[in-house]
Coordinates of all heavy atoms in Angstrom, one line a residue:
V190 N 13.2 23.4 12.5 CA 14.2 23.9 13.6 C 15.3 24.6 12.9 O 15.8 25.8 13.3 CB 14.6 22.6 14.3 CG1 15.8 23.1 15.3 CG2 13.5 22.1 15.1
P191 N 16.2 24.2 11.9 CA 17.3 24.7 11.4 C 16.9 26.0 10.6 O 17.6 27.0 10.6 CB 18.1 23.7 10.5 CG 17.0 22.7 10.2 CD 16.0 22.7 11.4
T192 N 15.8 26.1 9.9 CA 15.3 27.1 9.2 C 15.0 28.2 10.1 O 15.5 29.4 9.9 CB 14.1 26.9 8.4 OG1 14.3 25.7 7.6 CG2 13.6 28.0 7.5
G193 N 14.3 28.0 11.1 CA 14.0 29.2 12.2 C 15.2 29.6 12.8 O 15.4 30.8 13.0
F194 N 16.3 28.6 13.3 CA 17.6 29.1 13.8 C 18.3 30.0 13.0 O 18.9 30.9 13.3 CB 18.3 27.8 14.2 CG 19.4 28.0 14.9 CD1 19.7 29.1 15.8 CD2 20.5 27.0 14.9 CE1 20.9 29.2 16.5 CE2 21.7 27.3 15.7 CZ 21.8 28.4 16.4
Y195 N 18.4 29.7 11.6 CA 19.1 30.4 10.8 C 18.6 31.8 10.5 O 19.2 32.9 10.3 CB 19.3 29.7 9.4 CG 20.3 30.4 8.3 CD1 21.6 30.3 8.6 CD2 19.8 31.1 7.3 CE1 22.5 31.2 7.8 CE2 20.6 31.9 6.5 CZ 21.9 31.8 6.7 OH 22.8 32.5 5.9
R196 N 17.3 31.9 10.4 CA 16.5 33.2 10.2 C 16.8 34.1 11.3 O 17.0 35.4 11.1 CB 15.1 32.9 10.1 CG 14.4 32.3 8.7 CD 13.1 32.2 8.7 NE 12.4 33.5 8.6 CZ 11.8 34.2 9.7 NH1 11.6 33.5 10.8 NH2 11.3 35.4 9.5
I197 N 16.9 33.7 12.5 CA 17.1 34.4 13.7 C 18.6 34.7 14.0 O 19.0 35.8 14.3 CB 16.4 33.8 14.9 CG1 14.9 33.8 14.8 CG2 16.9 34.5 16.2 CD1 14.2 33.1 15.7
A198 N 19.5 33.8 13.9 CA 20.9 33.7 14.3 C 21.8 33.9 13.2 O 22.9 34.2 13.4 CB 21.2 32.7 15.3
K199 N 21.4 33.5 11.9 CA 22.4 33.5 10.8 C 23.5 32.5 11.1 O 24.7 32.8 10.7 CB 22.8 34.9 10.5 CG 21.7 36.0 10.0 CD 20.8 35.4 9.0 CE 19.8 36.4 8.7 NZ 18.8 36.1 7.6
S200 N 23.3 31.6 11.8 CA 24.4 30.7 12.3 C 24.7 29.6 11.3 O 23.7 28.9 10.8 CB 24.1 29.9 13.6 OG 25.0 29.0 14.0
P201 N 25.9 29.4 10.9 CA 26.3 28.3 10.0 C 26.0 27.0 10.5 O 25.8 25.9 9.8 CB 27.9 28.6 9.8 CG 28.1 29.9 10.2 CD 27.0 30.3 11.3
L202 N 26.0 26.9 11.9 CA 25.6 25.7 12.6 C 24.2 25.1 12.2 O 24.0 23.9 12.0 CB 25.7 25.7 14.1 CG 25.5 24.5 14.9 CD1 26.7 23.6 14.7 CD2 25.4 24.9 16.3
A203 N 23.4 26.0 11.8 CA 22.0 25.7 11.5 C 22.0 25.0 10.1 O 21.4 24.0 9.9 CB 21.0 26.9 11.4
I204 N 22.9 25.5 9.2 CA 23.1 24.8 7.9 C 23.6 23.6 7.8 O 23.1 22.5 7.3 CB 23.8 25.8 6.9 CG1 23.0 27.2 6.7 CG2 24.0 25.2 5.6 CD1 23.7 28.1 5.9
V205 N 24.7 23.5 8.7 CA 25.5 22.3 8.7 C 24.7 21.1 9.4 O 24.5 20.0 8.9 CB 26.7 22.5 9.5 CG1 27.6 21.1 9.6 CG2 27.7 23.3 8.7
L206 N 24.3 21.4 10.5 CA 23.5 20.3 11.4 C 22.2 20.1 10.7 O 21.7 18.9 10.7 CB 23.4 20.7 12.9 CG 24.6 20.8 13.7 CD1 24.2 21.0 15.1 CD2 25.3 19.5 13.5
G207 N 21.5 21.1 10.2 CA 20.3 21.0 9.6 C 20.4 20.0 8.3 O 19.5 19.2 8.2
G208 N 21.3 20.3 7.5 CA 21.6 19.3 6.4 C 22.0 17.9 6.8 O 21.4 17.0 6.3
I209 N 22.8 17.7 7.8 CA 22.9 16.3 8.3 C 21.8 15.8 8.7 O 21.4 14.5 8.5 CB 24.0 16.5 9.4 CG1 25.4 16.8 8.8 CG2 24.2 15.1 10.2 CD1 26.4 17.2 10.0
N210 N 20.9 16.4 9.5 CA 19.7 15.9 10.1 C 18.7 15.5 9.0 O 18.1 14.5 9.0 CB 19.0 16.9 11.1 CG 19.8 17.1 12.2 OD1 20.8 16.3 12.6 ND2 19.5 18.2 12.9
L211 N 18.6 16.4 8.0 CA 17.7 16.1 6.8 C 18.1 14.8 6.1 O 17.4 14.1 5.9 CB 17.6 17.3 5.8 CG 16.7 17.1 4.7 CD1 15.2 16.8 5.2 CD2 16.7 18.3 3.8

Side-chain angles (χ1 to χ4, degrees):
V190 173
T192 303
F194 187 21
Y195 186 77
R196 285 185 67 251
I197 290 175
K199 304 300 181 186
S200 172
L202 186 66
I204 298 176
V205 174
L206 293 187
I209 292 172
N210 292 348
L211 180 59

